[in-house]
Amino acid sequence: MSTVITGLGVMAPNGLSSEDYWTATLNGDSGIAPIDRFDTSGYPVSLAGQVTGFEPEELVPDRLMPQTDRMTRMALAAADAALAAAGAGPGTLPEYDMGVATASTSGGLEFGQRELQKLWGKGWQHVSAYMSFAWYYAVNTGQISIKHGMRGPGGVVISEQAGGLDALAFARRQIRKGTPLMVTGGVDGSLCPYGLAIQIASGRLSTQDHPDLAYLPFDHRANGYLPGEGGAILVAEERESAQRRGAPAAGELAGYGAAFDPSPGSRGALVRAARAALADAGLAADGIDAVVADAAGQQDDDQAEADALSELFGPAGVPVCVPKTMTGRLLSGGAALDTATALLALRDQVLPPAINIHPELTDPRLDLVIGEPRETPVRAVLVLARGHGGFASAAVLTRP
Amino acid sequence: MTRRAVITGMGVIAPGGTGTKPFWEMLTAGRTATRRITFFDPEPYRCKVAAECDFDPAAEGLSPRDIRRMDRVSQFAVVCTQEALADSGLVAGGDGAPGVAGAAALEGEAAERTGVAIGNAVGATMSLESEYVTVSDGGRDWLVDHRYAAPHLYEYFLPSSIAAEVATAAGAGGPASVVSTGCTSGIDAVAYACDLIREGSADIMITGGSDAPVSPITLACFDVIKATTPQADDPARACRPFDATRSGLVLGEGAAILVLEEYEHARRRGAHIYAEIPGFASRCNAFHMTGLKPDGREMAEAIGVALDEARLAPEQIGYVNAHGSGTKQNDRHETAAFKTALGSHAYQIPVSGIKSMVGHSLGAIGSIEIAACALALEHQVVPPTANLSEPDPECDLDYVPREAREARLDAVLTVGSGFGGFQSALVLADPELADQERSAA
């Protein structure tokens, strides 16, 4: 039994649909820009991957506006797009045959900050009646299931950036157990003052104020990452069920693996996760045509990922893509968006470039796709993701 | 060979006692641990009671740095993990000196074959709120001042820190995650762990749930939707599921961590097996983020699927641990679900709600209730529903009022309902029951 992806909904800093995102990404058009939602002059970080031009009033039902954070509105819009692409919705399959499993990290933090301000400034009576579920890690799964009448399994997994892949694996597990369709992926973000302050506290954000110099993974000048918002929602289906209803597949989730290692700078968990994903997909390392890297943007973590890739593929053994250089790191949305990237690369047989990093300044052990897209046969892509604290996950996407 | 998941170790921190033993003693005594809130002044709030844990992290062996780095929710989880690992016999310990720094951890291949799945609903909400108060200067500034933030604020921000701390403390190197489906998290995390064992991604899973939500913001969230009880006069009797005089839920806190193990793995090393988890399911009601339909249809569906997966008939279920949150909406919803899923046998099965004693600890309670179910199987005793003296005529099942009861138990069922519409059910059984079923089939 295999799991295919039949629908893709993207909400990215450099594109509000999967096609716009893909066009921008192949062009090297970045979504990194100065934060314009609040005054950042008091903060050492002023850049982020903001989703701009998103008009929730047009895409989200009025009824849901007062009860949702921006992050959930983006998730609802991405789910709509993914289901439309898959030609699926209420009634496509029996209600218990469709479920939802998303990754989460920040919940609706901007909503939460507003309500915390009301609580501490005015008193509990002023807190929104929607607060109990708007700043809530499970909110996107709940809202998507309600909007589309999906009564199958509901799931929410959290492992920071690795969560985007863990949600896909969760969805595949439900499909294998008998639920033919799962909406999955992750949309995340917390670009509000408290969210920025929290990420600054990690000590891992770049404080560069020029977009070209801020987030430079695998480059000797790496000095941290930039936060972003958005992600991708995917429709995952059991292959034969999708075929029966005539839904074309964009790719197969052929392999997955996860591991944990808290030692800073360790490649161990990444290597183990990738090996498990390869074994699960029944592929050797030479069966992988490209890698979408985690790309932490920290010297030690980049080194560890380069170590892992060298160990797995040999020196410069596989093309490595870093589309995150155009979006920043999207928490649980990041690996979901990287999965979308992998599926689009499989479709068009082209690998997207990284921007801003310089070939002569990057780790020579890596064959990074930089500056220009690279046309090449793409049959299988490995997506890597790490979550703060020691989480590592890997997924293999193949042509359908 | 079908891989099966069994419980071989447990650790519990619940209101009323730290450790599995005091927890079970309290439940079987029918004692309640709900009280007037002491963590902050509840006077301005609608609800003034909660089930708080008297938990001293230093006394439990956590070092000053552990205590600074971890929110209370992670501290609970790590301390419970030490108890559960020692109880399982997988690591040396259990001599009363656990704690993170010096505690025994898994090693070698066993470590890489051990994963972590922790249920949690609201993350490190206590720290996130107290840090917010500081950086916003008491809620005054929208543009908060990051320079006043605690160094570990980013760890507090990530609910996954709970799983990271547990995995680090245990030395586990397999797949790790937090499962966060609100108030069903504690069931769903254990189900997630079972799936990883069944599919072969791990031989051992450290799983369970932890939550520490007794904070102003959580109380406010429930107060504004009038889900919590407004009655403050008799805190010990504040939570009264299935009682006609019930007045709402009572927040709780705590954790339960289980060591789950592949059955043959556990048998080979001669481990004590509390119970097998042969079936589980979750369903969404796709109805409302906080509301429940009175027919309990989706919960009934989840129960039916869980029983089918366990290959058990309703007649084989000897006890149902109810969600029993103490709201009328819930009591009627799940009573209807039990009748739909279990048929006439619903009237024969003892059903009880331990939230009457330990409160509703959101993402932890599902696991605390699984621990209670495992102990019920172990001791052949059903814990009661405390505070039930005036049965709601609309809830006409046997809710085991006030006093624990001895019973012949081979298999038990536990259920949960969560914001977002989540409905989960999980079955625990004597592993020999499944062996007999299989040899009969």
Side-chain angles (χ1 to χ4, degrees), chain A residues 31-366:
Chain A
I32 304 286
I35 294 171
D36 59 12
R37 252 172 250 160
F38 56 92
D39 177 8
T40 58
S41 56
Y43 302 107
V45 175
S46 59
L47 299 170
Q50 297 176 114
V51 171
T52 50
F54 172 59
E55 303 286 350
E57 294 79 6
E58 291 171 20
L59 298 168
V60 175
D62 291 346
R63 184 180 61 78
L64 294 179
M65 290 296 288
Q67 56 171 275
T68 46
D69 183 80
R70 173 179 172 82
M71 173 281 304
T72 297
R73 295 172 189 167
M74 292 193 292
L76 284 165
D80 284 352
L83 284 162
T92 298
L93 293 170
E95 57 189 357
Y96 291 120
D97 285 353
M98 300 184 286
V100 185
T102 64
S104 171
T105 280
S106 62
L109 187 65
E110 184 177 4
F111 196 110
Q113 184 183 345
R114 227 177 275 124
E115 301 310 313
L116 280 167
Q117 188 163 15
K118 288 183 200 162
L119 171 65
W120 285 87
K122 296 186 198 162
W124 70 267
Q125 298 90 339
H126 299 269
V127 171
S128 163
Y130 303 120
M131 177 60 171
S132 63
F133 59 84
W135 175 24
Y136 181 53
Y137 307 114
V139 62
N140 291 353
T141 288
Q143 292 284 18
I144 291 169
S145 78
I146 292 169
K147 183 150 189 281
H148 298 283
M150 298 181 162
R151 296 196 158 83
V156 180
V157 292
I158 306 177
S159 40
E160 210 228 20
Q161 299 270 336
L165 299 184
D166 297 342
L168 287 176
F170 183 98
R172 187 179 67 163
R173 218 168 272 135
Q174 303 308 318
I175 288 169
R176 286 176 169 173
K177 288 177 73 176
T179 303
L181 185 151
M182 292 289 297
V183 174
T184 183
V187 172
D188 215 336
S190 46
L191 295 179
C192 60
Y194 190 31
L196 186 63
I198 286 167
Q199 296 188 75
I200 289 169
S202 74
R204 299 179 151 255
L205 294 192
S206 168
T207 55
Q208 287 281 350
D209 54 12
H210 195 291
D212 298 348
L213 298 174
Y215 174 37
L216 302 170
F218 303 114
D219 189 301
H220 299 166
R221 300 166 295 164
N223 61 89
Y225 74 91
L226 289 175
E229 61 178 356
I233 299 290
L234 300 90
V235 177
E237 293 190 67
E238 195 276 313
R239 181 194 296 274
E240 287 174 15
S241 171
Q243 275 170 354
R244 270 197 300 280
R245 61 178 203 88
E252 178 181 343
L253 175 58
Y256 164 80
F260 183 87
D261 184 350
S263 340
S266 164
R267 70 179 184 281
L270 260 187
V271 169
R272 283 190 286 124
R275 290 214 165 113
L278 287 169
D280 186 27
L283 291 172
D286 63 8
I288 295 294
D289 300 310
V291 171
V292 185
D294 174 62
Q298 321 283 340
Q299 300 279 356
D300 55 348
D301 287 339
D302 287 347
Q303 177 86 26
E305 190 169 19
D307 290 347
L309 289 169
S310 303
E311 185 173 334
L312 289 162
F313 297 99
V318 68
V320 176
C321 305
V322 197
K324 283 193 187 80
T325 50
M326 289 170 261
T327 63
R329 287 174 72 80
L330 315 182
L331 299 167
S332 70
L337 185 61
D338 283 342
T339 302
T341 303
L343 291 163
L344 292 161
L346 287 163
R347 181 189 72 182
D348 292 347
Q349 302 289 294
V350 59
L351 302 176
I355 62 164
N356 299 332
I357 58 176
H358 195 284
E360 285 170 20
L361 299 176
T362 51
D363 195 313
R365 294 174 298 165
L366 299 183

Side-chain angles (χ1 to χ4, degrees), chain B residues 387-409:
Chain B
N387 304 328
L388 174 50
S389 9
E390 285 182 52
D392 176 353
E394 303 240 352
C395 298
D396 53 353
L397 302 178
D398 172 8
Y399 301 102
V400 198
R402 302 186 306 282
E403 284 184 22
R405 196 187 288 171
E406 290 186 4
R408 168 78 204 273
L409 304 174

Side-chain angles (χ1 to χ4, degrees), chain B residues 93-107:
Chain B
D95 57 354
V100 179
L106 300 161
E107 286 171 359

